[in-house]
């Protein structure tokens, strides 16, 4: 093996990569220590509850340090975030320079990733988002009260300890696979186990993140060993995925881990396994139904005759209905079981084109009560998404040859446009959807563009955590 590049730098490349991993770990430790000094009073656009850091510190039997001023915190957070992303990109560029490095970096990258995950799971209070408290509330509703979170909100629990934390008092808009996991976590943590439940949810997100990184590496390996190493670094060491996964415990990472397992099964010519895995992903969070749709379209294209396509479609519908019926059976109370949660979730307008348009329409139609800006915005969003899906579907159908890569590319484009233009609220963790799959297609210009834009916009959105309202 040619080691001229190593000698040109003066150190083995794996040593330099390990050094960058140590720097990244140091930056993550500095970030979680800074979070413990979050200023008071302070609020941001995503919501914040100062009691979280005190509660999490008490869980470990420590006293958090005194808060710092808002100005100092904002500058320190921004500087640390830029530094973390700089170290991560430096590691990626180092891997690109070592075109031959291939599988040699996989154990190093995954080993460092385990350390990063453990640091954030155990050390970082989940105060950057309130989602994790909704997870626990829905789980406790099922496990402790026999309530159906698809038809009644968490407030129906009365004086449950989790209600002391900030959460959306709405019915759940997550799939039954995730609701089942929420209930399992609630049972494991016990009636008063809020702190261990937070750790378990953060641990689930960390496992999802590491699984995503490994699967992304295997998907990219079909393009080459260097591309596999790059995907592993882009996913496994991403500060965005680390903070929103092990740091905040979002279920987007387990959702995308299941989705990427499905993509790998399709590539391995096991389409039925891929179909079931993508369905399970959508039953965590419904958005990956869009990805499933593109893969089913590609699968149908591979069938030669109209008769074979119809038989496949009937088989897919039958298996899908059986799985959906089994998943929803414990919670089913009519169509509202699904529709109520989706309707509740779409009412929140935050940091998005929809939010800006809503303000403009309210001013424009201030004296026209019969025109509802919310309804106009929803029709524009649904129409825009439908047109985008049809356009990408037509492009996919016109492509010759194997279509799995094309189906992923269609999802990359649709999910990025959906998050940035057609969704009511833009949260940093939403950019994980297109970013996760686009990083496995960096040899394609379109894949590189989506990975760049989703990664950059997600990192930029994180800075709003440190901007007080």
């Amino acid at each position: 093996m040619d080691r001229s590049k190593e000698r040109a730098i003066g150190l083995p490349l794996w040593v330099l990569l390990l050094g960058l991993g140590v720097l990244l770990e140091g930056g993550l430790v500095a970030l979680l220590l800074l979070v413990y000094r979050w200023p008071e009073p302070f609020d941001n656009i995503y919501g914040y509850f100062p009691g979280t850091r005190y509660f999490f510190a008490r869980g470990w039997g420590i006293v958090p340090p005194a808060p710092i001023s808002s100005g100092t915190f904002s500058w320190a957070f921004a500087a640390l975030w830029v530094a973390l992303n700089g170290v991560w990109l430096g590691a990626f560029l180092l891997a690109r320079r070592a075109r031959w490095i291939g599988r040699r970096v996989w154990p190093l990258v995954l080993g460092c990733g385990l350390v990063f995950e453990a640091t954030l799971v155990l050390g970082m209070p989940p105060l950057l988002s309130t989602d994790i408290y909704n997870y626990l509330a829905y789980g406790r509703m099922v496990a402790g009260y026999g309530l159906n979170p698809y038809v009644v909100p968490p407030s129906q629990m009365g004086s449950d300890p989790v209600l002391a934390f900030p959460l959306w008092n709405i019915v759940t808009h997550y799939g039954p696979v995730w609701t089942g996991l929420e209930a399992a976590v609630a049972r494991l943590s016990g009636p008063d186990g809020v702190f261990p439940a937070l750790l378990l949810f953060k641990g689930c997100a960390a496992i999802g993140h590491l699984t995503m990184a490994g699967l992304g590496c295997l998907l990219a390996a079909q393009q080459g060993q260097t591309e596999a190493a790059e995907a592993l670094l882009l996913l496994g060491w991403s500060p965005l995925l680390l903070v929103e996964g092990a740091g905040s415990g979002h279920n987007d990472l387990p959702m995308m881990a299941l989705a990427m397992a499905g993509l790998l099964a399709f590539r391995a010519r096991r389409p039925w396994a891929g179909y079931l895995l993508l369905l399970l992903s959508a039953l965590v969070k419904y958005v990956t139904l869009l990805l499933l749709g593109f893969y089913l379209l590609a699968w149908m294209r591979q069938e030669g005759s109209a008769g074979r396509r119809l038989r496949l479609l009937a088989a897919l519908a039958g298996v899908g209905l059986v799985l959906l019926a089994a998943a929803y059976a414990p919670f089913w109370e009519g169509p509202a079981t699904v529709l109520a949660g989706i309707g509740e979730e779409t009412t929140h307008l935050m940091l998005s084109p929809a939010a800006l348009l809503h303000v403009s329409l309210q001013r424009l139609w201030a004296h026209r009560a019969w025109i509802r800006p919310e309804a106009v915005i929803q029709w524009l969003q649904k129409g825009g998404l439908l047109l985008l899906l049809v356009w990408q579907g037509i492009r996919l159908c016109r492509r010759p040859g194997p279509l799995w890569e094309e189906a992923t590319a269609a999802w990359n484009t649709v999910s990025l446009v959906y998050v940035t233009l057609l969704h009511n609220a833009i949260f940093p963790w939403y950019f994980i959807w297109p970013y996760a799959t686009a990083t496995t297609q960096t040899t394609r210009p379109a894949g590189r563009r989506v990975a760049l834009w989703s990664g950059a916009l997600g990192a930029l959105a994180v800075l709003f955590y440190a901007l007080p309202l």
Side-chain angles (χ1 to χ4, degrees):
M1 183 176 292
D2 182 12
R3 299 184 181 274
S4 59
K5 293 181 180 178
E6 288 189 358
R7 288 194 295 270
I9 298 174
L11 287 171
L13 285 169
W14 70 267
V15 173
L16 294 176
L17 194 61
L18 178 60
L20 290 172
V22 171
L23 280 177
L24 189 56
E25 169 67 8
L28 292 172
V29 171
L31 183 66
L32 70 87
L33 291 176
L34 179 65
V35 166
Y36 276 108
R37 304 201 63 184
W38 201 292
E40 298 176 18
F42 188 97
D43 198 6
N44 60 39
I45 196 168
Y46 304 124
Y48 161 69
F49 179 58
T52 302
R53 66 189 186 95
Y54 294 106
F55 176 81
F56 205 78
R58 284 200 305 272
W60 291 118
I62 60 176
V63 178
I68 58 178
S69 68
S70 296
T72 302
F73 173 81
S74 295
W75 281 107
F77 187 98
L80 264 176
W81 186 244
V82 170
L84 282 168
N85 282 276
V87 172
W88 164 59
L89 291 175
F92 168 68
L93 293 174
L94 181 65
R96 284 187 65 84
R97 176 168 181 168
R99 300 298 298 176
W100 48 266
I101 200 166
R103 291 178 181 267
R104 295 180 63 204
V105 302
W106 293 14
L108 173 61
V109 174
L110 288 174
C112 288
L114 275 171
V115 175
F116 303 155
E117 306 286 0
T119 298
L120 294 178
V121 167
L122 299 175
M124 184 171 175
L127 48 69
L128 300 180
S129 165
T130 61
D131 282 8
I132 195 169
Y133 305 110
N134 271 96
Y135 301 160
L136 181 55
Y138 297 140
R140 291 171 76 89
M141 288 174 70
V142 175
Y145 297 87
L147 296 172
N148 187 346
Y150 288 92
V151 295
V152 298
S155 58
Q156 295 299 306
M157 288 188 291
S159 59
D160 189 89
V162 75
L163 297 180
F165 295 87
L167 48 81
W168 296 103
N169 189 38
I170 60 176
V171 297
T172 183
H173 50 272
Y174 303 118
V177 167
W178 185 251
T179 304
L181 189 140
E182 290 170 335
V185 168
R187 288 191 180 94
L188 284 172
S189 55
D192 299 314
V194 175
F195 178 68
L198 299 183
L199 293 179
L200 285 172
F201 281 123
K202 283 156 60 72
C204 287
I207 292 170
H209 180 197
L210 286 174
T211 304
M212 274 176 55
L215 292 169
C217 177
L218 294 175
L219 285 165
Q222 299 171 11
Q223 305 169 53
Q225 292 303 313
T226 300
E227 286 74 15
E230 292 172 359
L232 191 62
L233 275 166
L234 287 172
L235 290 169
W237 286 18
S238 166
L240 173 66
L241 272 64
L242 286 164
V243 168
E244 301 298 353
S248 295
H250 288 292
N251 62 0
D252 302 76
L253 291 104
M255 174 194 75
M256 288 308 301
L258 283 168
M260 293 173 76
L263 304 193
L264 192 61
F266 271 106
R267 308 288 176 83
R269 299 182 180 181
R270 299 176 60 191
W272 279 104
Y275 173 56
L276 293 175
L277 286 165
L278 280 169
L279 261 183
L280 290 174
S281 171
L283 292 176
V284 171
K285 206 167 182 177
Y286 303 126
V287 68
T288 47
L289 282 174
L290 303 177
L291 176 58
L292 176 60
F294 288 125
Y295 264 76
L296 293 185
L297 184 59
W299 190 4
M300 298 287 289
R301 278 282 316 279
Q302 289 189 341
E303 299 299 315
S305 64
R308 292 182 62 181
R309 290 176 183 177
L310 285 174
R311 287 192 294 272
L312 175 60
L313 184 60
L316 289 169
V319 172
L321 286 173
V322 169
L323 181 59
L324 290 173
Y328 277 106
F331 311 106
W332 189 253
E333 295 190 27
T337 306
V338 177
L339 300 179
I342 295 175
E344 287 270 26
E345 195 270 342
T346 58
T347 61
H348 305 296
L349 297 167
M350 186 182 301
L351 195 69
S352 66
L356 297 175
L357 182 60
H358 186 267
V359 172
S360 302
L361 292 180
Q362 278 187 321
R363 291 174 179 172
L364 182 63
W365 297 328
H367 304 294
R368 299 180 183 180
W370 57 276
I371 300 178
R372 295 179 59 246
E374 297 85 358
V376 173
I377 291 169
Q378 286 196 23
W379 278 108
L380 289 173
Q381 289 172 324
K382 289 181 174 67
L385 180 59
L386 180 60
L387 288 174
L388 184 60
L389 289 171
V390 170
W391 174 53
Q392 288 295 329
I394 292 173
R395 291 189 63 194
L396 181 58
C397 288
R398 290 179 175 176
R399 296 282 186 179
L403 296 175
W404 304 130
E405 289 285 343
E406 303 299 335
T408 302
W411 151 262
N412 293 342
T413 301
V414 168
S415 58
L416 180 58
V417 174
Y418 176 58
V419 171
T420 53
L421 298 178
L422 301 176
H423 200 277
N424 280 342
I426 295 179
F427 295 106
W429 55 93
Y430 286 178
F431 290 101
I432 293 172
W433 309 343
Y435 178 79
T437 47
T439 51
T440 68
Q441 294 188 319
T442 53
T443 58
R444 302 164 60 99
R448 287 197 298 272
R449 285 194 296 269
V450 173
L452 175 62
W453 278 106
S454 54
L457 290 172
L460 181 63
V462 167
L463 291 176
F464 282 90
Y465 288 131
L467 293 180
L469 292 178

